[in-house]
Amino acid sequence: MKAKVSVSLKRGILDPQGQAVLHALSSLGYAAVKDVRVGKLIELELARNDRAGAEAEVKAMCERLLANTIIEEYRIELME
Amino acid sequence: MSNPTIRVGVLVFPGSNCDRDCHEAVTEVLGARADFIWHKDPTLPPLDAVIIPGGFSYGDYLRTGAIARFSPVMAAVTRFAESGGLVLGICNGFQILLEAGLLPGAMLRNRSLSFICKDIHVRIENTASPFTSRCRPGQVLTLPIAHGEGNYYADPATLSTLKAKNQIVFRYCTKDGAVTPEANPNGSLDNIGGIANETGNVLGMMPHPERCADALLGNEDGRLILLSLLDAVKSRKPALATT
C-alpha cells in the first residue's frame, strides 16, 4: 500500500515561504487568497497491506524523522 | 601554544564543509590534537571535546540536521554529552544538536528566506559557560554567520526555561550591544544566536568562531570561544594546567 505524508509548519509559526507566495499571488491579482502555507509531500510505498499497522508505522516514522513536531504538523493518507 | 595531550574530535558528515577550518583552528590556534571522526564511526576515541562543524550534512535533505542526527556517530556523541563531555555545534552542528534533542528548540528558515553570509555582532549573555569563560559579561563579539536556516524557534515554555536556567549564551545585537529587532539577522526568537543545554557542556551557535580565530583572517574574536573551550578542558584535566 502507499502512504502520502504531508508536512507543514504548525499554525502560529511564521511560514516565510507561504508569506512570499501569498504576496506574489496578491500581486498577480488573486485577492481572494487570505493565507498560504507551503509544506512538503512525502510519498511512501509500503510492503504491507494492513491498514492499522501501516498507519501506526507511518505515524512512528513521522514522529521520529519525517516531521519535527516542535515546529511541524503532519497528515497521513493511506491508499490501497 | 602547544597542547599536544588535548584531543578534540571533529565530526565529518557527507556535506560537512567547515570540518577542515575547525581542524585548523584546533591545531593552529590551540596547539591541540584534532581528529576527524567519520559519521559512520559507532564509537569515539578518548576525546576531551567534540566539535560538530558547519556545512550541509546530507544536503540538508528533509530538514537541516534531520538525517545527520541518525548517523552512528551521533549515538556516541549523545553518550559523550550525557556523561558531561564538551560538545560544540557550529551552524549545521547546532542544527544537528537540535534535531538530536541534545539542545531544545528547532530551526526555521531565515525570515528573509535568503542565505545570509556576513559579519554580525553577538552579545555574551552567559560567561559561566565553558565556551565563553574568556569573555566579559555583555561583551560584544563580531563573528561571521553563513546560513539559510538560523531562525531559532522554541515554544514559550521552552523559552522561559532557557531564560530561567541561563541557557542563552549569545544574542544578536548592534555593534554597541543593543539587542534590537534590526540587529536580528534571521528572525530568531529573542535574538538568540546560541544556547547551551541545562548542564552547560553542550553549546550550539550559528556564528562561526573557527572562521575568525587568526589575525591573518582579519578578526580574532572567535579565539575567545576556542580558548574558553581549552581552559575548560584544562580545568577538567588539572595535570595539564601548566602545559
Side-chain angles (χ1 to χ4, degrees):
Chain A
M1 86 185 334
K2 289 183 180 177
K4 276 190 179 180
V5 178
S6 45
V7 180
S8 57
L9 288 171
K10 284 180 178 170
R11 300 273 148 194
I13 290 184
L14 178 70
D15 174 5
Q17 266 193 99
Q19 291 299 301
V21 174
L22 171 66
H23 291 141
L25 287 173
S26 48
S27 72
L28 287 173
Y30 293 105
V33 185
K34 284 170 63 187
D35 194 20
V36 178
R37 313 287 291 172
V38 175
K40 44 194 153 191
L41 175 66
I42 302 164
E43 294 184 335
L44 307 171
E45 228 175 293
L46 304 172
R48 61 187 300 168
N49 282 309
D50 58 317
R51 216 178 165 80
E55 179 148 19
E57 192 170 25
V58 175
K59 188 168 188 303
M61 293 177 202
C62 289
E63 294 286 331
R64 293 185 67 195
L65 175 65
L66 301 180
N68 180 336
T69 55
I70 297 173
I71 49 173
E72 294 171 325
E73 56 193 15
Y74 58 87
R75 238 185 14 250
I76 300 167
E77 197 187 328
L78 291 173
M79 284 151 295
E80 307 298 331
Chain B
M1 203 176 295
S2 178
N3 295 290
T5 57
I6 291 178
R7 194 171 170 191
V8 178
V10 178
L11 303 193
V12 183
F13 297 92
S16 295
N17 65 11
C18 300
D19 42 343
R20 288 188 177 274
D21 305 57
C22 289
H23 189 283
E24 185 83 0
V26 170
T27 54
E28 297 301 316
V29 179
L30 304 184
R33 171 175 169 180
D35 290 62
F36 288 121
I37 314 281
W38 185 234
H39 70 115
K40 289 205 166 151
D41 292 354
T43 56
L44 297 174
L47 294 173
D48 296 303
V50 168
I51 298 180
I52 312 181
F56 300 85
S57 57
Y58 294 91
D60 280 351
Y61 296 155
L62 196 62
R63 294 179 306 278
T64 56
I67 297 181
R69 73 79 110 216
F70 289 108
S71 287
V73 76
M74 283 308 295
V77 170
T78 301
R79 288 192 297 273
F80 181 76
E82 282 170 353
S83 64
L86 295 166
V87 178
L88 170 61
I90 301 166
C91 197
N92 188 224
F94 185 9
Q95 295 162 339
I96 294 169
L97 289 171
L98 292 170
E99 282 285 342
L102 287 170
L103 290 173
M107 282 300 175
L108 297 166
R109 285 188 69 177
N110 293 346
R111 186 179 41 190
S112 63
L113 289 174
S114 308
F115 187 94
I116 305 169
C117 182
K118 65 174 186 183
D119 282 344
I120 49 85
H121 306 287
V122 287
R123 192 172 77 187
I124 305 296
E125 305 289 79
N126 175 348
T127 53
S129 159
F131 304 91
T132 52
S133 58
R134 290 250 186 156
C135 304
R136 296 186 310 277
Q139 185 172 356
V140 175
L141 304 186
T142 303
L143 302 171
I145 55 167
H147 61 249
E149 311 218 345
N151 182 352
Y152 178 78
Y153 172 83
D155 61 39
T158 305
L159 179 63
S160 34
T161 308
L162 286 174
K163 287 181 178 167
K165 306 217 158 151
N166 208 17
Q167 289 172 253
I168 301 171
V169 180
F170 305 100
R171 275 203 174 92
Y172 300 113
C173 65
T174 65
K175 65 175 171 30
D176 305 313
V179 174
T180 64
E182 296 73 35
N184 186 341
N186 51 28
S188 277
L189 180 72
D190 224 31
N191 282 43
I192 288 173
I195 55 168
N197 64 347
E198 223 178 296
T199 42
N201 59 304
V202 178
L203 179 88
M205 60 189 298
M206 288 315 291
H208 286 271
E210 81 285 7
R211 291 190 188 178
C212 53
D214 190 314
L216 275 175
L217 299 176
N219 177 4
E220 293 186 280
D221 281 6
R223 285 177 76 91
L224 290 169
I225 308 297
L226 298 164
L227 292 172
S228 299
L229 170 62
L230 183 71
D231 288 351
V233 169
K234 285 183 174 175
S235 70
R236 287 161 173 231
K237 296 169 96 169
L240 295 175
T242 52
T243 61

